[in-house]
Amino acid sequence: MTYSIAIFIALAIITVGAAIAVVTLRNVFHAALMLVVAFFGVAGFYVLLEAGFFAAAQVLVYIGAISVLLIFSVMLTRGVFMAQARNQQSGYAAVAAGVMFVLIAALVGPIAINWPGLRLGNFVLPPRVLGNPIEFAVPSPKAVQPDYLTRFGSNLVETYGVGFLLAGVLLLLAMVGAIWVARERKLMEIVLERREMAAEAQAESDADMAAGVEAPAIPAAPAEPAAGAAH
Amino acid sequence: MNGINGIPLWAFLIIAAALFCIGLYGALARKNAIAVLMGVELMLNGVNLNLIAFWRFIAPDSSAGLVFAAFVFIVAAAEAAVGLALIISVYRNLNSVDPEKLDQMKL
Amino acid sequence: MDIFEILKFINNLLGFVFGEIGSFVTGLLGKGAGTELVLMILAALGIITYGAVTMMALTWFERKLVARIQDRIGPNMAGPFGLMLPLADGVKMLTKEDTTPANADRWVYLIAPLMISAFAMTSMAVIPFAPNVVGTNLDIGAFFFIAIGSGSTIAILMAGWGSNNKYSLLGAFRTVAQLVGYEVPMLLNVLPVVMLTGSMSLVDIINKQTNVGDGYGFPFILFLPLSALVFIISGIAETGRSPFDLMEAESEIVAGFHVEYSGMKFALFMMGEYVNAAVVAFMFSTFFLGGYAGPIFVPSYVWFLLKSAAVFSIFMWLRGTLPRVRVDQLVNLNWKFFVPLSIINIIMVMIVTKVFVTSPIQAAANGGILVPPVLLMAILFAFGGGLMIAALSLAARNAREMREADERVIAERRAVNRAFTTAPAGK
């Protein structure tokens, strides 16, 4: 067993284990820390795939920025992180995730066994595309050229330059939007906002009454607990 | 079926699929909006791993896979920033981050 | 054997010694993957030991130098000239009580100092100490240093949260705001260096500053004075040294995020901070001063240490001289001054290096005026220096206006005070 296979198995266990911990832990702060571990694991996979630049970019962007943002948010919305971990539809969600995994594994399966395709007389599966059957067999990977970074950089700004500029605009808009949405509102501003919301709600119920729509039923008071009724 | 130093392509794809599905479960089944966002980040990481694995095995001399992965990084960062700003704003008004409490378009 | 050969041998001594150790171990264990693993572990242990020894030497150097700046002698009781001070410090740290606050998140509290030290040591893996003596010559060395530097912010948040202390948490928030903010000008100013070199590998950057191959022959500080200045200031802010030491100021926020740590854990925090500062000094001397390159009469590793020690002395000089920066001044300085300045600097370097090229191949391929490196250096120095003078004078004028406005407000208040405290007429 060479080193790469051992490292791959170790990284796989760490990453998938940390990911499962992220979605199961009740304490959201611990879940955020496990997310950091999962990001490190994915960075390790990028190193195995000989895309070292992306491993460093993963650490810089995800661990250095996005995780810090997540932890700040966890701390700013404190007091609500000890609640239950799963909501009512967690069973359905687990089934959905399981089915999704089976579907993707079914797509990955033919690649794993180098499936040459199925042929029954005239019937050919996979069907031909432009006269050529879809190849599932993966050829031996070529070596990565030593100047892949230079060509990546040139392609990013030349061939895909429009996307690059749009990505810059997207980041600018996201930055401005995030600052504006989460800005610290002064007391007067909050009072005016609430007044406006109350006025809108009133206007809406007036319009409903004029149109003859029934007022929404007030929910019944919860039943007395049996112990209380015994008093 | 030899791959990079003995690791075949399907191994990376299965790990990416596992990350994606675990993230999907997290995004659907958690009671804290920030935990939902963590699930979404896991999904995006799975997608990125998939892209880079295919780049390495199928077309290592073109840069299209790398450029696509770079764009996924950028979009994930932008989306995390805006999503968390929205969650903080909702928390200030509603004092709760339970996504089930947000069932109206008005606060 | 003439003196030149002897000098070259001494120059390559470090690389030669490590090569011999490598062949010895390979001879002992035979060729194979296991031997490589053992060699890598030995190299990692060597780098970690070097980091720890650097930290010890730096604590002594710092206390002595800052003491002299403050007109006192400094430690001289622990051994001759106080040279046993690091040892005494270590013994003190080991014998202090190791407390854990009640209700602290135990694992988070324990792992935070380990993570900070680990990240600091990891970024030493790419530094070239001498020709052929480098932990690993990554082709993304500069980017690796920045990425690892940014990863340590999580550890600080863990320390602040795990201490279960309001003031720790607030200190951690402020620290992370400072660190995350000052990463931006640091990495924006490594970019012109990488642009001039054409590669992110640190060995390539050093080679480009010497006469090897198509190198320029001059250190990059002469090409990019403004980048060097902003990089060093951002580096000081990144490691939390004075005058940006809000992170650990005892008089401000009760020592910030490491207030609940004592004993060996606190020693690990200190080690992380000193190794971080040392790495910033090493990186500055690699990017802008030429690293281990220098005239042959001094060996290359000694050049590297001399340059880094000079940079570190500048850090200590600033510590002993300048007062602490307020948190809003710190943040304003970063986002309103350094970041726009760095972006304008990058645009300027981009345009100049595309218009004036130094290699004939590039001139033939992309078109551009072919100039010898000296002329490129002169042009970049002129533009960079002009930009620096313009920015600094703008900042000075701004500061003067703010100070005059402040003084006006103070004088006004004083006049109002005086008017109300004089005895009213007719009493």
Side-chain angles (χ1 to χ4, degrees):
Chain A
M1 209 184 240
T2 68
Y3 278 124
S4 304
I5 299 185
I7 292 177
F8 178 82
I9 294 181
L11 272 176
I13 295 177
I14 291 175
T15 311
V16 174
I20 294 181
V22 169
V23 299
T24 1
L25 280 175
R26 234 171 41 145
N27 186 343
V28 177
F29 183 70
H30 288 173
L33 292 180
M34 284 291 124
L35 191 66
V36 171
V37 174
F39 286 156
F40 267 121
V42 174
F45 281 125
Y46 290 159
V47 172
L48 272 179
L49 283 168
E50 296 175 16
F53 177 77
F54 281 88
Q58 166 95 356
V59 173
L60 183 64
V61 170
Y62 274 104
I63 299 176
I66 293 184
S67 302
V68 170
L69 204 54
L70 276 169
I71 293 180
F72 262 101
S73 305
V74 165
M75 291 179 187
L76 284 175
T77 59
R78 243 186 111 175
V80 294
F81 72 88
M82 284 305 190
Q84 222 183 350
R86 296 177 289 185
N87 60 15
Q88 295 162 325
Q89 57 193 26
S90 68
Y92 299 121
V95 167
V99 167
M100 190 82 194
F101 186 70
V102 166
L103 286 176
I104 300 182
L107 281 176
V108 170
I111 301 180
I113 59 176
N114 269 348
W115 195 41
L118 189 62
R119 188 173 298 247
L120 296 171
N122 271 348
F123 177 73
V124 171
L125 187 77
R128 288 175 174 264
V129 174
L130 295 176
N132 304 320
I134 303 175
E135 295 280 335
F136 278 122
V138 174
S140 257
K142 298 180 272 223
V144 178
Q145 315 215 312
D147 63 342
Y148 78 99
L149 265 184
T150 318
R151 281 177 314 119
F152 164 62
S154 328
N155 272 342
L156 189 65
V157 295
E158 288 175 11
T159 319
Y160 306 101
V162 178
F164 180 68
L165 289 173
L166 284 177
V169 173
L170 173 74
L171 281 172
L172 176 69
L173 291 176
M175 200 158 62
V176 172
I179 294 176
W180 177 253
V181 164
R183 73 190 186 282
E184 186 91 16
R185 292 167 172 86
K186 304 247 175 10
L187 190 59
M188 203 57 205
E189 206 179 331
I190 299 179
V191 165
L192 288 174
E193 233 177 51
R194 293 286 161 87
R195 209 174 282 175
E196 200 181 293
M197 289 199 301
E200 270 180 28
Q202 184 65 30
E204 198 184 280
S205 88
D206 284 347
D208 278 347
M209 220 169 297
V213 174
E214 291 280 329
I218 303 172
E224 301 269 346
H231 282 274
Chain B
M1 202 186 32
N2 41 353
I4 313 280
N5 294 325
I7 310 172
L9 172 63
W10 59 265
F12 288 108
L13 297 183
I14 293 286
I15 301 285
L19 276 176
F20 185 80
C21 296
I22 294 174
L24 183 67
Y25 171 76
L28 291 175
R30 290 279 266 167
K31 233 171 171 347
N32 192 334
I34 302 179
V36 168
L37 240 142
M38 286 195 234
V40 171
E41 292 299 325
L42 273 179
M43 284 161 77
L44 285 165
N45 266 292
V47 164
N48 241 343
L49 186 57
N50 216 338
L51 282 171
I52 304 259
F54 269 118
W55 165 78
R56 177 65 187 91
F57 277 83
I58 306 291
D61 39 355
S62 107
S63 322
L66 291 183
V67 169
F68 200 163
F71 282 143
V72 173
F73 266 117
I74 294 174
V75 168
E79 166 232 359
V82 175
L84 288 167
L86 285 171
I87 292 177
I88 292 179
S89 185
V90 164
Y91 175 74
R92 285 205 194 125
N93 277 316
L94 227 52
N95 216 34
S96 152
V97 287
D98 193 344
E100 290 180 342
K101 294 230 170 66
L102 283 171
D103 52 358
Q104 294 180 341
M105 290 298 271
K106 282 202 254 244
L107 282 171
Chain C
M1 212 159 31
D2 58 329
I3 192 74
F4 195 57
E5 297 287 314
I6 297 181
L7 282 176
K8 265 177 57 162
F9 176 71
I10 297 182
N11 204 24
N12 296 330
L13 188 61
L14 210 58
F16 178 71
V17 165
F18 287 138
E20 285 301 305
I21 295 181
S23 350
F24 173 68
V25 172
T26 315
L28 212 54
L29 299 174
K31 258 191 185 317
T35 328
E36 278 184 31
L37 187 64
V38 169
L39 282 174
M40 281 194 240
I41 292 181
L42 280 178
L45 283 175
I47 293 180
I48 293 176
T49 315
Y50 181 71
V53 167
T54 306
M55 176 226 173
M56 284 172 31
L58 282 177
T59 46
W60 173 83
F61 190 31
E62 163 144 30
R63 305 264 276 263
K64 280 298 226 184
L65 194 65
V66 170
R68 288 287 172 176
I69 291 177
Q70 295 172 344
D71 202 17
R72 50 188 175 91
I73 302 183
N76 59 351
M77 298 294 271
F81 292 113
L83 280 171
M84 288 294 173
L85 181 76
L87 209 61
D89 263 347
V91 170
K92 175 187 84 168
M93 294 291 185
L94 277 173
T95 54
K96 286 213 178 194
E97 182 188 356
D98 216 3
T99 59
T100 308
N103 292 338
D105 215 336
R106 195 159 162 263
W107 282 109
V108 172
Y109 178 77
L110 280 177
I111 292 184
L114 293 176
M115 258 180 89
I116 291 188
S117 303
F119 274 111
M121 294 294 187
T122 307
S123 56
M124 287 188 72
V126 278
I127 304 177
F129 296 104
N132 295 331
V133 177
V134 55
T136 161
N137 185 15
L138 285 179
D139 59 341
I140 46 160
F143 195 50
F144 177 83
F145 155 66
I146 291 176
I148 298 292
S150 84
S152 57
T153 48
I154 295 279
I156 293 178
L157 278 175
M158 281 168 67
W161 176 271
S163 306
N164 197 27
N165 182 346
K166 272 195 282 288
Y167 299 107
S168 279
L169 200 57
L170 279 177
F173 279 171
R174 292 212 294 195
T175 304
V176 166
Q178 176 183 332
L179 290 185
V180 164
Y182 275 94
E183 269 165 36
V184 177
M186 199 156 86
L187 93 90
L188 281 177
N189 283 295
V190 171
L191 195 56
V193 172
V194 170
M195 270 199 270
L196 279 181
T197 310
S199 153
M200 289 194 258
S201 155
L202 289 178
V203 175
D204 282 349
I205 291 177
I206 293 183
N207 283 338
K208 198 79 173 169
Q209 299 177 61
T210 61
N211 285 316
V212 170
D214 59 345
Y216 293 133
F218 297 102
F220 280 141
I221 193 172
L222 295 174
F223 285 79
L224 304 163
L226 184 58
S227 288
L229 184 66
V230 179
F231 179 82
I232 202 169
I233 298 179
S234 311
I236 297 177
E238 269 287 307
T239 55
R241 292 188 66 84
S242 265
F244 299 102
D245 64 345
L246 262 153
M247 322 192 333
E248 52 170 26
E250 282 101 21
S251 56
E252 288 275 341
I253 194 148
V254 203
F257 63 92
H258 54 73
V259 63
E260 295 279 355
Y261 286 90
S262 63
M264 205 55 206
K265 301 197 203 96
F266 182 71
L268 277 176
F269 270 119
M270 282 294 110
M271 179 153 87
E273 181 191 323
Y274 272 104
V275 172
N276 247 336
V279 166
V280 168
F282 289 156
M283 283 297 167
F284 183 81
S285 71
T286 305
F287 286 142
F288 294 103
L289 295 177
Y292 56 71
I296 201 103
F297 52 84
V298 175
S300 48
Y301 34 93
V302 177
W303 266 128
F304 182 70
L305 286 175
L306 280 177
K307 291 177 191 174
S308 310
V311 174
F312 206 84
S313 309
I314 297 180
F315 288 178
M316 294 184 212
W317 184 15
L318 288 176
R319 171 184 174 152
T321 324
L322 293 176
R324 193 172 293 138
V325 174
R326 235 174 35 216
V327 66
D328 63 325
Q329 289 172 337
L330 187 108
V331 168
N332 277 343
L333 184 70
N334 180 28
W335 293 106
K336 293 191 190 170
F337 184 62
F338 281 150
V339 169
L341 189 61
S342 309
I343 294 179
I344 296 177
N345 185 34
I346 290 180
I347 296 177
M348 183 265 298
V349 171
M350 264 198 308
I351 297 178
V352 170
T353 49
K354 280 302 174 192
V355 168
F356 300 98
V357 295
T358 47
S359 73
I361 320 162
Q362 219 179 341
N366 299 333
I369 310 175
L370 190 62
V371 294
V374 189
L375 202 54
L376 180 65
M377 176 186 90
I379 297 172
L380 276 174
F381 189 79
F383 274 119
L387 199 59
M388 187 156 64
I389 294 176
L392 287 176
S393 55
L394 200 67
R397 189 153 25 116
N398 225 5
R400 199 178 329 134
E401 281 173 10
M402 284 198 321
R403 200 177 17 199
E404 282 170 5
D406 269 347
E407 278 173 12
R408 234 175 288 139
V409 167
I410 292 177
E412 206 177 279
R413 287 206 192 127
R414 224 175 264 154
V416 167
N417 247 352
R418 219 169 289 136
F420 274 108
T421 51
T422 48
K427 179 142 186 203

